[in-house]
Amino acid sequence: MSVNMDLRNITGLEEPLKILVQSLCDACSSVLKPVISRWQAKCVCEVNEMHDNMALISSMKKACEEEIVNSIHTVRDEREVRNIINVYSMAIKEMQQLLRENPSLKAVDIDPDWASEFYDHAKRCSREEMQVLWAKILVNQCRGERYFKRTLWTLRNLEPEEAECLVELAPFLIDKYFCPQFVYYKPLIRYNKIQALVDCGCLNSQVCTTTIKNDEAVSIPGYRMVFDDSVKTIDFSGLSLTDVGGQLLGLIQDVKPDEQFTNEIRHHLETHFNGKAWLVEA
């Protein structure tokens, strides 16, 4: 017999002990198994319910988002359709009036790219007074005038207050494009309105000098300048409209003369040219 033989083998208890341990394990398992099974089932149920709730919440959230997006698109689309219909209706009425006055008037083809640009900008305009301007642009384009695409972009982004500034500036322009310095130095118009027109791209920011030649027909609202033959040129310093500002100003009709501006121009001519340059009613 080996000296290192396990004591359990000496006494012959190894096998019985194994049987006892296994029996105890089996007994415990048989008692705990239903409890463990119920606990597992409950956990699985709660997890599935949680997943179902999360899926339901996610589904409801997605449906809500889609409903909101669709509603926004619907409202926006309806508004844009109304806007463009209003613009086109105004343009058609004005074109019909022009044709009645001049039956020989012929419309020209409009570039498709320009037409797309016009549509994209005009449909976002909801203010009726601004829609009138869009209609005039379309009519004039059909008559052969050429409006820059940047003019369309500027008009789309023009604030109503900036448009009012342009209307207010109109009576103070020489030849519909040049604003003398005394207009905003006096001031006949507040400088912050001049700055607003600079910021929106209608007026150049750099002061310059415009030279009027004797043989040029130059006017201010309600009057035109007349020169003696001895007067070759007349200079004014001030700010000029940009190309975009000039095109937008051309949409303004019935510009009334401003008496103070007229008197300032008359005084300038009398002071610098000793009665050899003057104003006459247009």
Side-chain angles (χ1 to χ4, degrees):
M1 180 180 297
S2 173
V3 175
N4 296 323
M5 181 179 294
D6 194 315
L7 181 60
R8 289 172 299 179
N9 290 333
I10 295 176
T11 59
L13 293 176
E14 182 177 9
E15 287 300 323
L17 283 174
K18 286 184 178 180
I19 294 172
L20 177 59
V21 171
Q22 185 63 45
S23 297
L24 288 172
C25 289
D26 291 343
C28 290
S29 178
S30 62
V31 173
L32 295 175
K33 188 172 183 179
V35 177
I36 294 173
S37 297
R38 288 196 298 272
W39 179 79
Q40 288 178 333
K42 183 179 179 181
C43 289
V44 171
C45 181
E46 289 179 353
V47 170
N48 290 338
E49 184 178 355
M50 185 182 299
H51 288 166
D52 291 342
N53 288 340
M54 291 177 64
L56 178 60
I57 292 173
S58 178
S59 176
M60 291 176 64
K61 181 179 178 182
K62 184 176 181 181
C64 183
E65 289 175 351
E66 291 177 351
E67 182 67 23
I68 292 173
V69 170
N70 290 336
S71 298
I72 292 174
H73 286 172
T74 299
V75 172
R76 186 184 67 186
D77 292 344
E78 289 178 353
R79 183 180 67 247
E80 289 179 351
V81 169
R82 287 197 301 270
N83 291 343
I84 202 66
I85 287 177
N86 288 342
V87 171
Y88 286 164
S89 297
M90 293 176 184
I92 289 172
K93 289 180 180 178
E94 184 166 346
M95 185 62 76
Q96 289 174 337
Q97 178 64 30
L98 291 173
L99 288 172
R100 282 194 292 268
E101 296 172 357
N102 183 10
S104 62
L105 181 65
K106 301 293 183 182
V108 300
D109 293 334
I110 295 179
D111 177 69
D113 291 340
W114 187 94
S116 296
E117 194 86 5
F118 178 90
Y119 178 87
D120 289 339
H121 292 318
K123 70 181 181 181
R124 292 177 171 84
C125 176
S126 300
R127 297 174 65 94
E128 184 176 354
E129 60 269 29
M130 300 300 285
Q131 289 176 349
V132 171
L133 300 182
W134 285 106
K136 289 183 178 296
I137 286 178
L138 183 57
V139 170
N140 292 341
Q141 189 79 9
C142 290
R143 296 174 60 187
E145 295 186 30
R146 180 176 176 271
Y147 284 87
F148 304 123
K149 291 179 182 178
R150 64 179 179 274
T151 299
L152 304 181
W153 184 91
T154 301
L155 181 57
R156 172 188 168 182
N157 293 281
L158 198 67
E159 298 291 345
E161 296 80 9
E162 293 169 338
E164 291 174 2
C165 289
L166 187 61
V167 172
E168 188 172 340
L169 181 68
F172 304 119
L173 295 177
I174 296 175
D175 241 16
K176 299 181 179 180
Y177 85 94
F178 193 82
C179 175
Q181 277 185 320
F182 69 78
V183 170
Y184 49 89
Y185 278 175
K186 289 289 182 180
L188 305 183
I189 184 173
R190 292 173 59 185
Y191 188 76
N192 66 324
K193 296 184 178 182
I194 296 293
Q195 187 61 53
L197 293 173
V198 171
D199 293 342
C200 70
C202 291
L203 200 62
N204 287 306
S205 60
Q206 188 67 40
V207 175
C208 61
T209 300
T210 184
T211 299
I212 303 171
K213 297 181 180 180
N214 186 295
D215 57 350
E216 294 177 341
V218 179
S219 64
I220 63 173
Y223 297 86
R224 60 186 177 87
M225 295 184 188
V226 178
F227 312 131
D228 187 89
D229 290 340
S230 61
V231 178
K232 302 302 180 183
T233 60
I234 294 177
D235 293 337
F236 285 96
S237 295
L239 301 174
S240 62
L241 291 177
T242 62
D243 291 338
V244 168
Q247 289 192 332
L248 293 179
L249 183 81
L251 301 173
I252 302 173
Q253 297 179 338
D254 301 326
V255 177
K256 304 299 183 183
D258 180 87
E259 183 177 358
Q260 190 173 358
F261 176 72
T262 302
N263 290 337
E264 288 290 341
I265 293 292
R266 184 178 288 116
H267 176 72
H268 178 85
L269 297 178
E270 291 174 352
T271 302
H272 290 80
F273 301 100
N274 299 319
K276 296 180 179 179
W278 59 94
L279 295 176
V280 297
E281 292 187 7

